[in-house]
Amino acid sequence: MTAPTTDRQWLARAVDLAAANVVAGGGPFGALVVSASGVVVAEGANRVTRDLDPTAHAEVVAIRAACRALGSFSLGGTTLYSSCEPCPLCLAAALWSRVDRVVYAANRDDAADGGFDDREFYELFARERSQWHLPVDHVSVPGARSPFEAWRAHASRIDY
């Protein structure tokens, strides 16, 4: 499938953001959220080292800014453009934000060649948790379900 011209234009902008971020001392990743009508809602660049925040990936930064700009936690009706294939963290953020589509330029192999091996995380998630280097343990405690019960009973909750 051939990408529409607008996809290429938005991806070029994401790549430009990533390159400018490197010059500014940040990581080589850029992203933007674009409305269905072709308006840039928000942009983001990798701020992990600048903000000392391991979750400040370009896509997450752009999603956070877009949600603030739109006054909503849902980005339905938008597309997330990224200079590179989103890592599992960023894919999860895209899913939670309900963007309609994710489009990226460089892929995970390109990122690995640049020193960012997201493949390790993709491979980790494909394995059983018992094989992970990071223990993730479930410990049952009394009342563990009570926050969910309170949520379901809360009359003015906003479902997401």
Side-chain angles (χ1 to χ4, degrees):
M1 178 172 138
T2 303
T5 302
T6 53
D7 281 352
R8 294 184 189 288
Q9 291 168 338
W10 296 129
L11 287 173
R13 176 65 188 144
V15 170
D16 288 346
L17 286 168
N21 200 50
V22 170
V23 172
F29 303 96
L32 53 152
V33 175
V34 179
S35 72
S37 62
V39 174
V40 175
V41 177
E43 297 179 338
N46 181 284
R47 297 162 72 163
V48 170
T49 56
R50 190 197 91 174
D51 293 356
L52 305 177
D53 179 353
T55 68
H57 292 200
E59 297 89 340
V60 173
V61 171
I63 287 168
R64 289 174 179 162
C67 288
R68 283 190 303 272
L70 295 176
S72 176
F73 57 82
S74 176
L75 297 177
T78 67
T79 298
L80 173 65
Y81 290 93
S82 179
S83 63
C84 187
E85 181 177 3
C87 72
L89 167 76
C90 297
L91 282 176
L95 289 166
W96 277 110
S97 70
R98 311 295 199 269
V99 296
D100 287 359
R101 187 169 169 238
V102 176
V103 184
Y104 62 89
N107 65 32
R108 64 182 80 170
D109 296 320
D110 299 321
D113 289 344
F116 296 87
D117 199 356
D118 298 347
R119 289 179 301 199
E120 179 181 333
F121 295 112
Y122 283 102
E123 292 167 3
L124 176 70
F125 289 135
R127 294 193 302 262
E128 292 295 321
R129 283 192 183 169
S130 62
Q131 298 174 0
W132 290 18
H133 68 281
L134 171 69
V136 178
D137 300 317
H138 172 248
V139 177
S140 183
V141 297
R145 294 180 49 90
S146 65
F148 301 109
E149 293 163 1
W151 170 257
R152 295 204 37 98
H154 195 279
S156 60
R157 75 174 185 262
I158 300 172
D159 291 327
Y160 64 95

